[in-house]
Amino acid sequence: MCTHIAKSLQTWCQAIWNAVTAYNKAGLELNPPKPTLDWSHVSHYTFLKDFVTLCNTDRDICKKPWAKAVIREMIKQDQKVKRAQEEIIRCNVEVRRLHTLICDEEAFFSE
């Protein structure tokens, strides 16, 4: 489990690092050049509002509804509820399998 989590984090970090590199390359080609992002700072960002460069664009994503902390938290809660509903369905299947196994074992040992 820890290995899987570590690999997932490594993949995410690599994707973010690639995006920062692409942003820096594209930013330097503009006239006037945009300031570059430093990986040591970007790797510590936790919220979209930390990315000041995202707010200074034609489409300011910081004003989007999903960029607000309250709405993001509600989205997370909604996803948790959906996963819980899926888990209930899965548990119901497993309960039926376990019941069948117990009945089969009881029949097998009673013979």
Side-chain angles (χ1 to χ4, degrees):
M1 181 71 155
C2 290
T3 305
H4 179 69
I5 292 170
K7 285 184 179 181
S8 295
L9 285 173
Q10 186 177 17
T11 302
W12 277 92
C13 286
Q14 184 63 41
I16 294 170
W17 187 83
N18 289 339
V20 168
T21 304
Y23 171 84
N24 288 338
K25 183 179 175 184
L28 291 174
E29 293 174 3
L30 294 174
N31 189 12
K34 295 286 184 184
T36 59
L37 294 174
D38 183 18
W39 171 248
S40 62
H41 292 116
V42 172
S43 62
H44 291 76
Y45 291 169
T46 55
F47 297 105
L48 283 174
K49 67 181 171 103
D50 294 334
F51 287 92
V52 177
T53 55
L54 296 176
C55 297
N56 299 327
T57 62
D58 292 338
R59 291 176 267 158
D60 186 359
I61 66 167
C62 292
K63 293 181 181 160
K64 298 287 185 186
W66 49 263
K68 296 179 181 148
V70 175
I71 293 177
R72 281 196 316 273
E73 190 60 36
M74 292 304 297
I75 291 170
K76 287 181 193 175
Q77 292 298 323
D78 181 59
Q79 290 172 342
K80 286 180 182 179
V81 168
K82 288 178 182 175
R83 298 301 83 77
Q85 290 170 342
E86 291 172 2
E87 188 65 24
I88 289 170
I89 292 169
R90 183 73 189 144
C91 286
N92 287 335
V93 169
E94 291 300 321
V95 165
R96 288 186 193 120
R97 286 183 180 173
L98 181 61
H99 181 262
T100 302
L101 176 69
I102 291 170
C103 291
D104 289 349
E105 279 187 352
E106 188 177 306
F108 177 75
F109 287 123
S110 65
E111 292 177 0

